[in-house]
Amino acid sequence: MTPLLTTKGLSRNFGGLRAVDGVDFALMPGEIRAIIGPNGAGKTTFVSLLSGRIRPSSGMIVFDGADITAMPAYKRVRLGVAYTFQITSVFANLTAFDNVALPVQRTLTDGRSKGQVRSGVMAALERTGLADRAGTLAAHLSYGHQRLLEVAMGLALKPRLLILDEPTQGLADGEIDNFITLVREIAKDATVLLIEHNMPVVMQLANRITVFNSGKILAEGTPGEIRANRQVQDAYLGATHG
């Protein structure tokens, strides 16, 4: 099977700091991949490079066979790359419905009708459990619900690749269970790449895990392989050894 997305020698420098350092990465269609690692490991910079929010200093990004290294973020969205931010980026003064209507309108042709927009919005809100809050201003939603609203906005783009940065931050335990179900549902027709600090979520959800440390990939493997990896335990999982 051909990877949906690959990077070759991908690097990003900020002054003297090499935040992402020569990363070779491959993501297969339909998988749920988690990226983990300590703070400052380069995870958010890496997914920002994939989404086009920042440009690489060197290296290459290929999506579905096309070189997208120099492509701006909005064009990547049209190709099917959707990204939700680590810090919520919802429009506080718009309702949940109107927040989701903005990306829905992008996916429809010029002949769109109000009915098409409405059904697209409500489908995304229903999937994220926010349908009953459609008329609520985003500013009045809890932080956890704002995170879910962002996921709904990403889903409304009908992405082929959905990148989620710390999606469970601020969610209550019951909401986290629903989120795990939601991501499994999304993965039936999209590929999911998530940065996540909540290790039980990572171990339950991910088919494969990529561990970043100091801008490089330290290890990759199944949840079981990563859990048993001595280097990962030392760098991140914090296990103590006798």
Side-chain angles (χ1 to χ4, degrees), residues 3 7 13 18 37 45 48 59 61-62 88 93 101 104 122 129 133 141 160 179 184 190 214 221 226:
T7 71
N13 306 332
R18 185 158 265 218
T45 303
S48 296
I61 305 166
V62 175
T88 55
N93 297 326
V104 166
M122 291 313 295
R133 292 177 172 84
L141 294 173
R160 297 171 64 199
F179 175 78
R184 288 190 177 131
S214 305
I226 293 302

Side-chain angles (χ1 to χ4, degrees), residues 81-118:
V81 179
Y83 176 57
T84 74
F85 300 90
Q86 189 174 6
I87 299 154
T88 55
S89 58
V90 298
F91 297 97
N93 297 326
L94 295 181
T95 63
F97 184 96
D98 288 340
N99 266 278
V100 179
L102 295 169
V104 166
Q105 286 166 351
R106 278 188 172 184
T107 65
L108 298 172
T109 57
D110 290 337
R112 64 178 174 262
S113 68
K114 276 187 180 170
Q116 276 181 303
V117 172
R118 181 173 175 75

Side-chain angles (χ1 to χ4, degrees), residues 3-239:
L4 177 66
L5 179 136
T6 55
T7 71
K8 209 90 188 136
L10 195 65
S11 298
R12 173 65 199 214
N13 306 332
F14 294 103
L17 171 72
R18 185 158 265 218
V20 173
D21 188 0
V23 169
D24 294 344
F25 176 82
L27 186 63
M28 302 309 286
E31 76 170 309
I32 301 172
R33 176 79 65 92
I35 295 180
I36 66 169
N39 287 331
K43 307 180 299 292
T44 291
T45 303
F46 178 68
V47 297
S48 296
L49 290 168
L50 300 185
S51 67
R53 290 189 69 218
I54 57 175
R55 292 292 174 90
S57 303
S58 59
M60 186 177 182
I61 305 166
V62 175
F63 181 74
D64 194 22
D67 182 346
I68 62 166
T69 313
M71 185 180 281
Y74 75 92
K75 287 193 175 172
R76 296 186 200 199
V77 168
R78 286 182 195 157
L79 282 185
V81 179
Y83 176 57
T84 74
F85 300 90
Q86 189 174 6
I87 299 154
T88 55
S89 58
V90 298
F91 297 97
N93 297 326
L94 295 181
T95 63
F97 184 96
D98 288 340
N99 266 278
V100 179
L102 295 169
V104 166
Q105 286 166 351
R106 278 188 172 184
T107 65
L108 298 172
T109 57
D110 290 337
R112 64 178 174 262
S113 68
K114 276 187 180 170
Q116 276 181 303
V117 172
R118 181 173 175 75
S119 63
V121 171
M122 291 313 295
L125 289 174
E126 272 159 26
R127 285 180 84 178
T128 49
L130 294 174
D132 58 341
R133 292 177 172 84
T136 304
L137 286 180
H140 297 162
L141 294 173
S142 69
Y143 181 74
H145 285 145
Q146 287 182 21
R147 302 309 314 257
L148 290 172
L149 177 57
E150 233 193 4
V151 174
M153 291 164 74
L155 284 178
L157 293 165
K158 295 191 166 61
R160 297 171 64 199
L161 169 60
L162 181 62
I163 302 172
L164 304 168
D165 196 348
E166 298 288 358
T168 66
Q169 200 178 335
L171 297 188
D173 289 349
E175 291 171 331
I176 287 176
D177 293 341
N178 292 341
F179 175 78
I180 288 170
T181 305
L182 170 66
V183 171
R184 288 190 177 131
E185 194 60 36
I186 292 167
K188 289 177 183 172
D189 45 28
T191 304
V192 179
L193 177 64
L194 72 153
I195 295 177
E196 185 52 74
H197 273 118
N198 185 323
M199 291 312 295
V201 170
V202 168
M203 294 298 175
Q204 276 188 73
L205 261 184
N207 309 120
R208 287 176 67 75
I209 299 169
T210 299
V211 186
F212 268 72
N213 197 31
S214 305
K216 291 182 161 80
I217 292 178
L218 175 69
E220 281 188 318
T222 63
E225 288 165 346
I226 293 302
R227 203 185 266 118
N229 185 305
R230 188 71 179 253
Q231 275 184 299
V232 175
Q233 289 172 357
D234 291 344
Y236 182 55
L237 296 180

